[in-house]
Amino acid sequence: MLEKKLGKRRFYKLTEFECINLLKVGEEAFKNTYPKSRDGFAVALMTVSGNVYTGVSYRSDTATLTMHSEATALVHAAIHGEKNVVAITGPNCHICKQLIYESSLRSGIDVVVIIREGGKIKQIPISKMMPYPWPEKLNE
Ligand SMILES: [Zn+2]
């Protein structure tokens, strides 16, 4: 991974190998969706230290309390003391885009979303997915 700066934005461009590995690790985690295996969603993220954490959807019968895989992946990293996320696999729902965007605001790192599209791997900064972001800055 290579740190890049574009204006005020700081982000990391992953190597093709890192992208493929992250997608593979996310796909492997799919067996761990809760409560039923392979029923829901799974992702993987990479932190600035190069560590990879997975997340799986955790379904509640209330539906409202269901946790998305992106949320559990961010928590998984936070539990290990890692708050500086550089990349996460996608595509992601809009609730999760908001969560990823807020993580970006806090860390100052524009998290790249890794997706496969038409046989190609793309790295899309979360800022590009949030054209009219809320909040514009954090109230901390
Ligand atoms: Zn989601």
Side-chain angles (χ1 to χ4, degrees):
M1 105 181 107
L2 189 65
E3 185 175 355
K4 300 224 172 204
K5 283 196 171 122
L6 197 64
K8 282 171 33 185
R9 286 193 316 114
R10 180 166 71 115
F11 66 100
Y12 290 80
K13 187 166 172 43
L14 274 62
T15 64
E16 181 92 355
F17 176 80
E18 287 170 325
C19 290
I20 290 168
N21 184 57
L22 208 56
L23 289 163
K24 189 177 125 236
V25 170
E27 286 159 11
E28 284 170 1
F30 188 56
K31 68 180 183 302
N32 296 326
T33 57
Y34 183 89
K36 274 174 52 185
S37 178
R38 301 184 185 287
D39 183 24
F41 301 92
V43 296
L45 63 75
M46 183 182 281
T47 62
V48 74
S49 61
N51 289 328
V52 171
Y53 297 93
T54 56
V56 297
S57 53
Y58 191 98
R59 184 175 294 158
S60 159
D61 288 344
T62 65
T64 308
L65 295 175
T66 294
M67 290 178 265
H68 295 197
S69 54
E70 291 84 344
T72 63
L74 289 166
V75 169
H76 189 181
I79 286 168
H80 289 86
E82 299 226 47
K83 299 173 181 172
N84 297 321
V85 176
V86 299
I88 190 165
T89 58
N92 323 96
C93 81
H94 294 283
I95 293 168
C96 292
K97 283 179 193 161
Q98 178 68 27
L99 208 54
I100 296 162
Y101 173 71
E102 289 179 26
S103 165
S104 240
L105 282 181
R106 289 192 171 90
S107 68
I109 300 167
D110 200 354
V111 177
V112 291
V113 175
I114 312 294
I115 60 166
R116 263 198 194 100
E117 191 178 65
K120 290 191 172 174
I121 293 173
K122 290 189 170 181
Q123 299 185 50
I124 307 160
I126 193 68
S127 65
K128 298 278 182 213
M129 296 184 177
M130 308 293 281
Y132 299 96
W134 180 92
E136 287 184 33
K137 59 181 183 162
L138 294 171
N139 293 322
E140 290 181 326

